[in-house]
Amino acid sequence: MFNRFRSVDLHLLAVLLIVVMAALPLLTRPGLPRHTDLELHVFRAAEYAGVWRDGVWYPRWAPNFYYGYGYPIFNYYAPFTYALSSAYALIPGVDGVAAMKGVLLTAFALGGFGAYFLARRHFGSQAAVIAAAVLVLSPYFVFIEPFMRGDAAEFLALGLLPWAFLAFDRPRFSIGQPIALALIIFSHNLLALMALGLLIVYVIWRGVLIDGKRRWRGDAVSIGLALALTAILWLPFFAERGAVRLEVAGPGHFDYHNHFVSLAMLLSPSPALDFGATAPKYIYNLGPIQWLLLIPGGIVGVARRKTPAGRVSLFFVVAAQLLIFLITPASEFIWDAVPGAALVQFPWRLLGPAALALAMAAGAAVSGKWLVDGGRSRRADHSSPFTRYLLLVLLFALLMTSLPTLYPPLWDAEFGDTSPRGAIEFELSGVARGTTSTDDFLPVPVGRVPPPNEALLASYASSLIDKLDRSSLPVGSTAQVEAHTAVYDRFRVEATAAFTARVLTFLFPGWRASIDGQEVPIGPEDQSGLMLISVPAGSHVIEIALQLTTPQLIGTLISLGAAVISFMLIVTRPRASAQNEVPASLQPSMSLSFFLSVLLFLVIKIAVIDRCETCFRYTSPPGQVLGAQYHQNAHVGGHVDLLGYDLPVNEVAAGGALPMTLYWRATAPVPENYQVFVHVGVPGVAPVGQSDKLNPGDFPATRWPQDKYVWDDHRVTIKADAPPGEYRLIVGLYTLDDGRRAPVLDETGHVTGDAVVLDMPVYVK
């Protein structure tokens, strides 16, 4: 019995409990959050699964988005998240929402166990548990990414990141290296670029300081094979980049200049959340224990710089410091100088890789006297009472400081309809078209998105969706839909005269049309970008099919060839050696202490803390913002109230930027989506500073509930030639189409103006 007990790695079970604790909202609540990017990913996954069911093994076209006109988002966006969700949806009883939950749970598990095994290789099991906790309980990984941003694709890529480092940790080529890197590339476009850059620096570091430069040949083969495996994605992306709109950088919301995070915020603990908000206000931070452990991690790395483990420690310590620096405004000159840096969009995206670097630094910090030197390993006595208690206290501190992030906002139990018609209804609500906010990946011929076609929408209730616009038929002509799939339509037409058929699908490279089996040209309709086909009089069969373009075919063949090579390498690979790995150290005393400590904390959390509605979170009453720095009420448009604002600083230099937050609340259903402006100036005079946003709080006003408030962050840019002096902040709402401002009303309902002048002055120096 004792031998069986010793054979169980209780450290792994402790990590499992930490992962379960982090993912508990997904395990205990029905549905998934809406009003974040997660709802976009759910609709994409449902669309991807539908194309799969039509027999397309690698979907490139989303046929039901953009009111049913379709567009090629999957030709450009990394597909692994949606493929994995679609695979989970094949399980009986698992719907699209549950399948996406499965993806998020997979990401949690991958991150936790990946960090554990990576840290265990260098620092031992006890340190590996701490490293796993540091990553999984980091605010960005446990809270911001899965629940507040809801970027399922990036979250999955983050979960895979430690496995890529684990694979490239080996000094020689291993088939796990290209597979791990390929999975990250298939998961998220932007994080793949960051991961590839970090891995290249890591293998260079190891080649120079640990393994020798001979390893680089194997690394080059691994990276090359990973690129070949993913050619099916990136080759068409670059070759057909000009066929779609893709405005992912530049002025506005996606300008990286607007998304730096101050060092003070990064080092701050996570605040308690206000559940009185539609989406509780949170901060981009590292976690206090996470960054504090960076200091001893650096000391340990320097002290052991002559050992492989010490040099690995130093890499992650340096990487963490560099990543943290790149998130802060002080690094702006680097972002400005590096070509392509603007594609990252949000510097705080680096919090994900930084969390892994901090996890490894933490593992080094608590590793005692673990050393790995030339294949020989020895370890210190981690079973001493002082060391054991110190590690348990540290684990407890990690768990305690993470509590504010373990309570994401509540969401509705019913997610809603994710069918093709449900996706169109989501678009009709005005939130987003095509599951993007800026019409990314829309074919270039589409100058202006045509309005929904009522006949097309009505056909979604029938057995076959009808993409032929009947208004384009000559008088007395008839048409019948004979077949429809995601990438194919067939119509039988009886035409009384020659005509130009209007097919309700956006034209994109790869679409082919034939009449009675003979290929005919397709043209785009001016502005709408819909297909136009010249049809002669008489009885005809019109067929439209999406075929592979030359770049898509070449990319597919390269990836298939690389997959065959990878399979052959897998079945013929020699048994891997683990001689350089630190022993797992299955000491029952210490591993049992870790396991029981985490289990006890989880039980207390579920039984006590979860039932306390004011522990680590609070709820502002309707019409109030308890956490607002300044309270000021104003009635706007007859259905929106301004409740207050935050103004951390009220002095700014000319050419600088002033951060602030507005708090809004709907007092009645909002009839239209407002835009918001913040001006710095004097009423009636041209402003010297300004900030405009498409949606206040990045949340369409027509969807605002009446029992919660919306927080609306701004970075007000001051003109470089602004005269010094005292100014006021002037805020208001307007409609984008006509620029009309919503009136400001007094308590009796009389109009007093079209903007609210805030009480606190600001000073331009």
Side-chain angles (χ1 to χ4, degrees), residues 524-702:
E525 184 179 48
D526 185 44
Q527 291 300 309
S528 77
L530 297 171
M531 297 183 189
L532 296 178
I533 304 170
S534 296
V535 182
S539 177
H540 303 287
V541 173
I542 304 173
E543 294 177 281
I544 303 165
L546 182 63
Q547 301 175 3
L548 291 179
T549 63
T550 299
Q552 293 168 9
L553 178 60
I554 294 174
T556 300
L557 292 176
I558 292 174
S559 292
L560 289 176
V564 171
I565 293 172
S566 299
F567 177 77
M568 294 174 62
L569 290 172
I570 290 173
V571 298
T572 61
R573 76 188 191 281
R575 186 176 181 84
S577 172
Q579 63 177 358
N580 288 328
E581 183 171 335
V582 173
S585 180
L586 302 179
Q587 296 182 14
S589 59
M590 194 64 223
S591 58
L592 184 61
S593 298
F594 270 124
F595 174 73
L596 292 179
S597 297
V598 179
L599 179 61
L600 178 62
F601 191 92
L602 179 59
V603 170
I604 293 174
K605 177 183 179 297
I606 295 173
V608 180
I609 303 176
D610 287 2
R611 300 185 181 187
C612 173
E613 296 185 358
T614 58
C615 296
F616 304 101
R617 66 265 196 207
Y618 63 97
T619 303
S620 289
Q624 298 182 42
V625 182
L626 297 180
Q629 185 180 5
Y630 301 105
H631 298 274
Q632 181 174 345
N633 283 77
H635 309 295
V636 183
H639 32 250
V640 174
D641 277 1
L642 176 69
L643 303 179
Y645 57 97
D646 293 343
L647 188 63
V649 295
N650 67 340
E651 291 186 356
V652 60
L658 194 69
M660 72 166 307
T661 302
L662 300 171
Y663 296 100
W664 306 95
R665 173 182 172 246
T667 57
V670 182
E672 52 192 334
N673 284 325
Y674 284 115
Q675 286 66 58
V676 58
F677 68 87
V678 179
H679 291 170
V680 174
V682 177
V685 180
V688 299
Q690 184 170 342
S691 170
D692 285 79
K693 292 179 71 173
L694 183 63
N695 292 307
D698 301 315
F699 189 7
T702 54

Side-chain angles (χ1 to χ4, degrees), residues 227-500:
L227 293 176
L229 285 168
T230 56
I232 194 172
L233 168 66
W234 61 261
L235 198 153
F237 181 102
F238 290 109
E240 297 171 350
R241 164 66 180 83
V244 294
R245 301 184 197 173
L246 190 55
E247 304 297 333
V248 297
H253 177 67
F254 296 107
D255 183 357
Y256 64 86
H257 294 94
N258 298 325
H259 298 285
F260 290 108
V261 182
S262 69
L263 184 61
M265 179 179 288
L266 287 173
L267 302 183
S268 298
S270 299
L273 299 180
D274 184 358
F275 282 12
T278 52
K281 189 174 184 180
Y282 59 93
I283 64 173
Y284 291 99
N285 61 328
L286 300 165
I289 307 300
Q290 280 84 347
W291 68 261
L292 282 171
L293 285 174
L294 181 62
I295 300 171
I299 295 173
V300 170
V302 171
R304 302 175 187 169
R305 61 188 179 277
K306 295 183 179 180
T307 68
R311 290 170 180 175
V312 168
S313 304
L314 281 176
F315 170 82
F316 285 104
V317 168
V318 172
Q321 292 174 324
L322 178 60
L323 290 167
I324 292 169
F325 173 71
L326 289 173
I327 299 171
T328 65
S331 68
E332 186 172 357
F333 72 97
I334 297 178
W335 291 82
D336 292 339
V338 175
L343 296 175
V344 177
Q345 301 171 329
F346 313 117
W348 43 253
R349 257 196 172 117
L350 298 177
L351 280 168
L356 176 60
L358 289 172
M360 289 297 289
V366 300
S367 60
K369 296 181 180 178
W370 279 103
L371 297 174
V372 180
D373 190 3
R376 295 180 295 108
S377 62
R378 55 191 176 88
R379 64 175 179 81
D381 183 11
H382 262 153
S383 61
S384 67
F386 175 78
T387 303
R388 184 187 308 173
Y389 293 144
L390 181 62
L391 290 176
L392 292 177
V393 167
L394 183 58
L395 181 60
F396 178 77
L398 280 166
L399 294 169
M400 283 297 299
T401 55
S402 71
L403 279 172
T405 63
L406 297 183
Y407 297 97
L410 299 174
W411 57 77
D412 293 336
E414 182 61 37
F415 183 87
D417 184 9
T418 61
S419 69
R421 182 56 202 249
I424 294 175
E425 290 297 330
F426 171 72
E427 293 180 325
L428 292 172
S429 71
V431 179
R433 293 182 303 203
T435 68
T436 68
S437 59
T438 55
D439 288 334
D440 291 336
F441 313 118
L442 196 64
V444 166
V446 183
R448 183 174 59 251
V449 177
N453 184 284
E454 294 301 328
L456 172 59
L457 298 187
S459 72
Y460 274 81
S462 64
S463 58
L464 290 176
I465 296 172
D466 188 355
K467 290 292 193 87
L468 183 62
D469 185 359
R470 294 301 193 275
S471 67
S472 65
L473 294 174
V475 177
S477 301
T478 61
Q480 180 181 355
V481 184
E482 292 190 339
H484 169 78
T485 70
V487 294
Y488 178 77
D489 286 283
R490 185 172 72 245
F491 312 100
R492 184 172 296 277
V493 176
E494 299 286 343
T496 58
F499 72 104
T500 299

Side-chain angles (χ1 to χ4, degrees), residues 102-324:
V103 172
L104 297 176
L105 292 171
T106 299
F108 270 116
L110 285 170
F113 289 112
Y116 173 80
F117 286 117
L118 178 60
R120 192 181 77 171
R121 172 170 290 178
H122 298 286
F123 312 125
S125 297
Q126 288 89 357
V129 174
I130 298 298
V134 165
L135 174 63
V136 173
L137 299 177
S138 64
Y140 193 78
F141 191 88
V142 73
F143 174 67
I144 297 174
E145 190 74 291
F147 297 114
M148 302 311 294
R149 291 192 65 217
D151 194 334
E154 186 175 325
F155 187 47
L156 181 59
L158 280 177
L160 288 164
L161 187 58
W163 293 94
F165 274 96
L166 183 64
F168 279 92
D169 215 40
R170 298 189 178 278
R172 299 179 185 84
F173 171 82
S174 165
I175 188 58
Q177 295 169 347
I179 291 176
L181 180 56
L183 287 176
I184 293 178
I185 295 173
F186 274 133
S187 296
H188 192 265
N189 302 42
L190 292 175
L191 193 70
L193 293 175
M194 292 187 280
L196 181 58
L198 285 171
L199 285 170
I200 289 175
V201 175
Y202 184 57
V203 298
I204 291 174
W205 181 285
R206 288 194 64 103
V208 173
L209 299 177
I210 301 174
D211 304 317
K213 299 177 182 179
R214 293 180 60 183
R215 70 159 291 152
W216 292 341
R217 286 177 291 182
D219 296 327
V221 171
S222 294
I223 294 173
L225 186 54
L227 293 176
L229 285 168
T230 56
I232 194 172
L233 168 66
W234 61 261
L235 198 153
F237 181 102
F238 290 109
E240 297 171 350
R241 164 66 180 83
V244 294
R245 301 184 197 173
L246 190 55
E247 304 297 333
V248 297
H253 177 67
F254 296 107
D255 183 357
Y256 64 86
H257 294 94
N258 298 325
H259 298 285
F260 290 108
V261 182
S262 69
L263 184 61
M265 179 179 288
L266 287 173
L267 302 183
S268 298
S270 299
L273 299 180
D274 184 358
F275 282 12
T278 52
K281 189 174 184 180
Y282 59 93
I283 64 173
Y284 291 99
N285 61 328
L286 300 165
I289 307 300
Q290 280 84 347
W291 68 261
L292 282 171
L293 285 174
L294 181 62
I295 300 171
I299 295 173
V300 170
V302 171
R304 302 175 187 169
R305 61 188 179 277
K306 295 183 179 180
T307 68
R311 290 170 180 175
V312 168
S313 304
L314 281 176
F315 170 82
F316 285 104
V317 168
V318 172
Q321 292 174 324
L322 178 60
L323 290 167
I324 292 169

